[in-house]
Amino acid sequence: MTLSMYQSSVPVFVRLLKNLSAILDKGRAHAEAHKIAADVLPASRLIADMFPLSRQVQIACDHAKGAVARLAGVDVPKHEDDEQTIEELQARIAKTISFVETFTAAQIDGSEERDIVYPTSSRGDLKFKGVDYLLGFALPNFYFHVVTAYDILRANGVDIGKRDFLAG
């Protein structure tokens, strides 16, 4: 049995995005219990030169929606990066999950050799074959930003653990 590009992408993105939303629920409950303003946790960072929680969630969502769109050969939808509360971040996650779930295995399987172009502002266009893009770029970046969001919440005292990250 071989592992398909679809199995390696859509279910992975959906599961971790749902877990991220659940972790954000715990963050919201923590903020309410400790009378922390709604915009504090989304603006929190691990260290001054890292993106805040809000941007970590936005980028994780961007990698999920971008990966499946590029692998399927369709345009990547643009989402504004204006979320400032946990509720707004969860709405972005829900929108991303809805988009990712529209793809079928027939649209993504067979994309291993598809030419993928990932535009960057600092390094120009990065070029990959589909399998290298998914396994060597999109998934690692997605996991990095989900883990960093988890770490920011944990560092701010939110009672979460490995089970929350891996739930599902």
Side-chain angles (χ1 to χ4, degrees):
M1 179 176 139
T2 60
L3 188 63
S4 76
M5 293 290 283
Y6 177 86
Q7 291 170 316
S8 300
S9 60
V10 171
V12 174
F13 291 132
V14 169
R15 178 175 175 222
L16 266 289
L17 286 170
K18 286 179 179 179
N19 294 354
L20 180 57
S21 187
I23 288 167
L24 289 171
D25 269 337
K26 290 189 174 192
R28 181 179 40 220
H30 174 83
E32 289 170 1
H34 293 86
K35 303 202 183 331
I36 299 169
D39 61 345
V40 170
L41 285 179
S44 296
R45 303 168 186 260
L46 283 178
I47 194 162
D49 67 348
M50 287 185 79
F51 287 130
L53 173 65
S54 59
R55 190 72 185 118
Q56 301 295 340
V57 173
Q58 292 161 351
I59 295 171
C61 289
D62 289 348
H63 278 289
K65 71 181 169 67
V68 295
R70 288 183 186 94
L71 291 172
V74 302
D75 291 336
V76 178
K78 172 79 171 110
H79 295 160
E80 296 303 319
D81 296 327
D82 56 5
E83 296 86 6
Q84 308 228 346
T85 66
I86 288 177
E87 292 82 3
E88 291 170 344
L89 291 169
Q90 288 178 303
R92 177 155 179 162
I93 292 169
K95 181 169 48 172
T96 302
I97 290 170
S98 292
F99 176 75
V100 169
E101 288 181 328
T102 66
F103 290 89
T104 65
Q107 290 174 284
I108 295 176
D109 284 343
S111 63
E112 294 86 350
E113 293 301 316
R114 175 170 295 200
D115 290 323
I116 304 291
V117 177
Y118 183 86
T120 71
S121 57
S122 61
R123 301 187 317 186
D125 290 345
L126 304 179
K127 297 178 181 176
F128 304 90
K129 290 297 183 185
V131 70
D132 297 323
Y133 167 70
L134 178 62
L135 299 179
F137 186 79
L139 283 172
N141 273 285
F142 173 75
Y143 277 113
F144 174 86
H145 292 286
V146 172
V147 168
T148 303
Y150 167 94
D151 291 343
I152 290 169
L153 290 169
R154 188 73 180 94
N156 277 278
V158 178
D159 187 17
I160 52 178
K162 186 175 179 180
R163 286 185 181 160
D164 297 293
F165 180 82
L166 295 175

